[in-house]
Amino acid sequence: MASADARRFRPDSVRAALRVTGLFGLAFALFAVVLLAAGKDPIRAYGDILSSTLFSSYGFSEVVVKMIPLMLTALAVAIPARIWLINIGAEGQLFMGALFTTWGAAHFAALPAWALLPLVAALGFLGGGLWAAISGVMRAHGWVSETISTLLMNYVAIFIVSFFVFGPWKDLESANYPQTPEFPAAARLPMFFGTRVHLGLLIALVALTVYHLVLTRTRWGLEIRAIGGNIEAARRSGIAIGRYILVLMFVGGGLAGLAGMGEVSAIQGRLRPSLSPGFGYTGFLISWIAGGNTYGVVASALLMAVITAGGDVLQMAHRLPGSVVNILMALMLFVVLTRRRIP
Amino acid sequence: MLIVPRLSVLENMALADTRKYARHAGLTVDWSAARGDLEQSTRRLAQEMLPLAVPAGALSGGNVQRLSLIRELSTDPRLIIALYPTRGLDMRSATAARDLLLAKRDRGAGVLLISEDLGELFLLSDRLFVLYRGRIVGAARPEETTAQEIGRLMTGGGVAGG
């Protein structure tokens, strides 16, 4: 009992961080067993992943490049999760954001960068936001659970993007390769320091800061935390819960849309069906690991970016299939799900 | 007893009327105003101040009841539905809560008091209605009836075959 009491008086965030660290130690240990079974030396494998990601400047810049969409899709999950909405649709929202961005880049190509970039960013936000808001409307009316609709609409969004890329928007000059023509230079997000780290990093960090401030400082944050803490008490306090369902789904989806905008506008420079290696799903995992905590989102996004990049290392240096890191991510999801609370 | 356990006592207080405490179009919350109202309402109910920063879920049952009363009676509602309002309170707090309900009535609020505490009902009510199996089986002014009569109606004595 004494230890339980001591634990209770430790600050919540410290306790959560310790708990997550311990659980991850477990996941890494389990994955080490998998590596051993494949005849690899787990200590060397982990060492190679670290040295080629965190301890090399190019490797680290690529980790940051992956963190950008991951932080945004994690927020796309974390924001609705404040009021117990489970958004599994960040992947589809990312695709719709990329689709709207591409449309804007093609139709307003004549605009200068200072006008075109904010415009395509707004369109990207709108694309992801409206896509998520469909699920929000259906949930607010009590028609369809947002868990189901966001999950299923991922596939619809990906197929819609494929339709345009293989069909009307296909670049006729790139033979049979399914992609749109390249964006005009004015629609390309600037990159920094000779790396692929782009302006999306700033967008993601601003989004995280705003998320934190809104939740802790504002009237809306108070109301959101009230809905999340006791929906019946919130309803009796006169808080418009349906409106929050809609707005939080829209904002969450919009941020996933911005992740899509960053991928097409900075990284790819055009729309392709292979836009995302599952950023939306990894973002879901990050949000759950972080329990919605702002710093936790950054830390978990870093971890997941390292693991994603680590897949390439395992493939090249250890001749394992790159997707083997999916086992590690799945193990992490399992250990995280042992938490008692929902984020 | 509708509090949000994870929010602090002060945050729960601000939930009484989030619009009232919002500043800068909602960008900030005026915590000192919420605190002022909490203190004032606490004094009117002759209570000790509750710890402001403690999560409401960590309060004892009686203190949760106090917090709900303090919060709900800090505003000037036109209608108060009080369901067992003094359950779990000590004598002094219960007396203060009853006095405050009467004061709210005198200031024009309608008060619907729901209770099985006949003493409290006779003390506070202007009119009594007795419910039995979902129907009103009797109505009277407290001075025109007795606890025995109300008790008989409450247990089905006023219904044929009841």
Side-chain angles (χ1 to χ4, degrees), chain B residues 8-65:
Chain B
S8 73
V9 166
L10 185 59
E11 286 170 331
N12 269 286
M13 176 66 201
L15 283 181
D17 190 347
T18 51
R19 187 172 309 182
K20 175 179 167 192
Y21 299 120
R23 297 289 179 275
H24 307 107
L27 279 174
T28 58
V29 178
D30 189 346
W31 295 111
S32 60
R35 189 197 167 118
D37 285 352
L38 179 67
E39 281 168 356
Q40 195 189 13
S41 184
T42 302
R43 266 198 308 277
R44 274 192 301 187
L45 276 160
Q47 299 291 321
E48 304 282 318
M49 267 303 273
L50 293 166
L52 294 178
V54 166
L59 297 176
S60 69
N63 276 341
V64 168
Q65 178 84 334

Side-chain angles (χ1 to χ4, degrees), chain A:
Chain A
M1 288 319 279
S3 70
D5 280 346
R7 233 175 38 211
R8 187 168 308 152
F9 288 112
R10 204 177 287 153
D12 261 5
S13 51
V14 175
R15 199 183 358 147
L18 280 176
R19 184 178 161 78
V20 167
T21 310
L23 288 172
F24 282 177
L26 183 65
F28 282 115
L30 288 171
F31 188 61
V33 175
V34 174
L35 289 174
L36 276 175
K40 307 295 170 189
D41 175 359
I43 298 179
R44 254 195 63 206
Y46 283 141
D48 286 347
I49 290 176
L50 281 181
S51 63
S52 62
T53 53
L54 295 181
F55 300 120
S56 103
S57 55
Y58 168 75
F60 185 68
S61 78
E62 281 301 297
V63 166
V64 174
V65 167
K66 289 195 167 68
M67 278 178 73
I68 296 168
L70 288 179
M71 289 190 288
L72 287 168
T73 52
L75 276 180
V77 179
I79 289 171
R82 294 306 93 212
I83 58 170
W84 301 84
L85 297 173
I86 301 186
N87 175 19
I88 317 183
E91 185 80 359
Q93 291 143 22
L94 182 151
F95 270 79
M96 290 313 276
L99 186 77
F100 273 49
T101 300
T102 306
W103 178 82
H107 276 74
F108 303 101
L111 289 176
W114 61 264
L116 188 53
L117 272 180
L119 179 69
V120 293
L123 281 169
F125 191 94
L126 194 68
L130 289 177
W131 196 245
I134 296 172
S135 299
V137 169
M138 295 198 289
R139 169 57 199 266
H141 282 91
W143 294 335
V144 183
S145 150
E146 80 291 349
T147 314
I148 304 297
S149 66
T150 53
L151 173 67
L152 296 182
M153 281 167 66
N154 282 333
Y155 301 101
V156 181
I158 293 169
F159 286 139
I160 290 175
V161 165
S162 292
F163 167 77
F164 280 101
V165 172
F166 283 96
W169 290 1
K170 189 173 167 195
D171 181 13
L172 298 173
E173 284 164 28
S174 58
N176 252 338
Y177 207 67
Q179 57 185 20
T180 64
E182 198 169 3
F183 281 19
R188 300 295 303 267
L189 270 184
M191 300 186 184
F192 304 116
F193 321 119
T195 66
R196 298 203 299 165
V197 175
H198 56 86
L199 195 61
L201 179 63
L202 191 68
I203 297 176
L205 294 177
V206 168
L208 277 163
T209 311
V210 171
Y211 165 75
H212 184 76
L213 291 178
V214 165
L215 266 191
T216 52
R217 304 281 172 86
T218 68
R219 170 191 169 190
W220 313 300
L222 178 66
E223 295 187 347
I224 289 166
R225 286 182 293 138
I227 299 171
N230 182 347
I231 191 164
E232 201 47 46
R235 187 173 287 131
R236 303 243 182 124
S237 296
I239 295 170
I241 290 162
R243 194 182 306 160
Y244 273 103
I245 292 178
L246 247 176
V247 170
L248 295 192
M249 286 301 287
F250 177 76
V251 172
L255 291 175
L258 279 181
M261 180 260 178
E263 291 308 294
V264 287
S265 161
I267 304 295
Q268 314 260 359
R270 53 177 83 212
L271 186 62
R272 295 190 174 106
S274 57
L275 167 65
S276 153
F279 287 132
Y281 303 112
T282 312
F284 185 79
L285 179 55
I286 291 168
S287 170
W288 275 69
I289 291 170
N293 177 282
T294 315
Y295 307 108
V297 166
V298 179
S300 311
L302 174 66
L303 183 66
M304 289 304 146
V306 167
I307 291 174
T308 310
D312 303 335
V313 177
L314 292 180
Q315 184 160 12
M316 287 183 284
H318 295 266
R319 297 178 172 207
L320 284 167
S323 54
V324 74
V325 288
N326 291 344
I327 298 177
L328 178 54
M329 288 199 194
L331 286 171
M332 290 188 151
L333 183 59
F334 284 135
V335 296
V336 164
L337 288 177
T338 63
R339 290 157 45 103
R340 276 158 301 193
R341 280 191 298 115
I342 277 183

